[in-house]
Amino acid sequence: MTRRIVVDTDTGIDDAHTLLYLAGRPDAEIVAITSVFGNCEEEDAVRNIGHVNRLIGLDVPVARGAAEPLAGTANIAGHVHGKDGLGDRGYHRPLPPVTGESAAELLVRLAAEQPGELDLLALGPLTNLAAALRLDPELFTRYRSVVLMGGSGPYAPPGTLLMIDANVHNDPAAARAVFAAPRNELVMVGVNVTGTTILDERAIGALRAAGTPRARFATEILDSYLDFYQNEWGRRIIPLHDPLAAGILLDPGFATASMYGPVNIRSDGFLSRARLMRTHDGLPPAFPYEPAPDTRVITAVDAPRFVADFVEALTQ
């Protein structure tokens, strides 16, 4: 069965990889794309959408979204994805044709026109989704599912450290609105699992050797991403953050364990995270928390199987 997907993206390197992955999966149809700030400025995000769409031959509605969070200023990850979001390779990236509506308006209109038929895949800060909920508080009940790359899972075992939950940290107020909203199904694919899904040297070598336009582009844009992550592991490897969320949307079997419960946005004074209000062994936390509808929170994945599927989709 083909999943018809609306993608909301702050089009950096792993977002571009996600669009390539979806284009390579026969059971996925991208029906619209919306842009948001995050990995790069919003204008770069929409330019990158246009660039990837031309590469994969995709002609779908594109709507421009938020350039900054609901409160505060944007935190742009140029040190990770390059200033332009695609590793500063110097690509010619003209602005693509866009609809006359905002990202939020497009998300609401499509759900109203095709209730229960579309899945929403959110790959960046959740600002556009929060803005759409202001227009239609029941929005998520009109999507078949909402799958987002963000969050940190349940509280980790003592002594465990996690990667930054960047998409939530970049707009915690928007994330709070999203996790509080009524929904059919909301799936959180957080850094607790994306950080374990590694595109290693062998897999990168397979992409380089493929020679197809999609695989060539996927490896061209990797350098700045590899430069960043080599400081984490001492190896030129990367986690497949956003692609994993797309993979789980298409094949829930990539997730080998999950928990259900309320998600709250918590800050330690420096970083904000979306946390399932459970400890790693399923107990409630030792403090009061806000009630919220249940979110399906992914806690373990079959990383080798997903990485093999990702490479196959980009090299076939």
Side-chain angles (χ1 to χ4, degrees), residues 122-309:
L123 305 177
L126 298 171
T127 317
N128 289 338
L129 277 65
L133 286 167
R134 290 177 174 178
L135 299 175
D136 179 4
E138 300 292 320
L139 176 67
F140 293 170
T141 68
R142 307 187 207 289
Y143 279 95
R144 176 175 177 165
S145 73
V146 180
V147 179
L148 60 91
M149 192 276 117
S152 298
Y155 283 89
T160 302
L161 298 177
L162 290 173
M163 291 180 179
I164 293 172
D165 186 357
N167 287 340
V168 168
H169 180 68
N170 281 345
D171 196 340
R176 190 169 289 111
V178 164
F179 285 107
R183 74 290 298 266
N184 283 334
E185 182 181 41
L186 179 62
V187 181
M188 183 170 92
V189 184
V191 294
N192 56 306
V193 287
T194 64
T196 69
T197 307
I198 302 298
L199 193 72
D200 64 12
E201 296 91 345
R202 183 176 179 179
I204 293 170
L207 287 176
R208 291 192 194 280
T212 65
R214 294 178 188 181
R216 186 163 51 247
F217 172 69
T219 54
E220 279 177 359
I221 62 178
L222 274 181
D223 280 345
S224 67
Y225 216 35
L226 292 168
D227 289 346
F228 177 79
Y229 278 107
Q230 70 185 7
N231 294 315
E232 291 290 326
W233 297 302
R235 296 168 56 188
R236 292 182 67 74
I237 58 179
I238 62 165
L240 291 171
H241 292 299
D242 290 340
L244 180 63
I248 288 173
L249 190 161
L250 295 172
D251 182 353
F254 285 132
T256 57
S258 61
M259 299 169 68
Y260 286 85
V263 170
N264 281 192
I265 310 306
R266 305 287 300 187
S267 174
D268 59 9
F270 299 97
L271 296 172
S272 294
R273 292 184 182 273
R275 292 275 199 183
L276 176 66
M277 292 293 101
R278 299 288 184 268
T279 61
H280 72 282
D281 49 3
L283 298 175
F287 50 79
Y289 57 88
E290 293 294 322
D294 279 356
T295 294
R296 182 184 178 215
V297 177
I298 307 303
T299 55
V301 297
D302 187 344
R305 189 169 78 86
F306 171 69
V307 172
D309 185 68

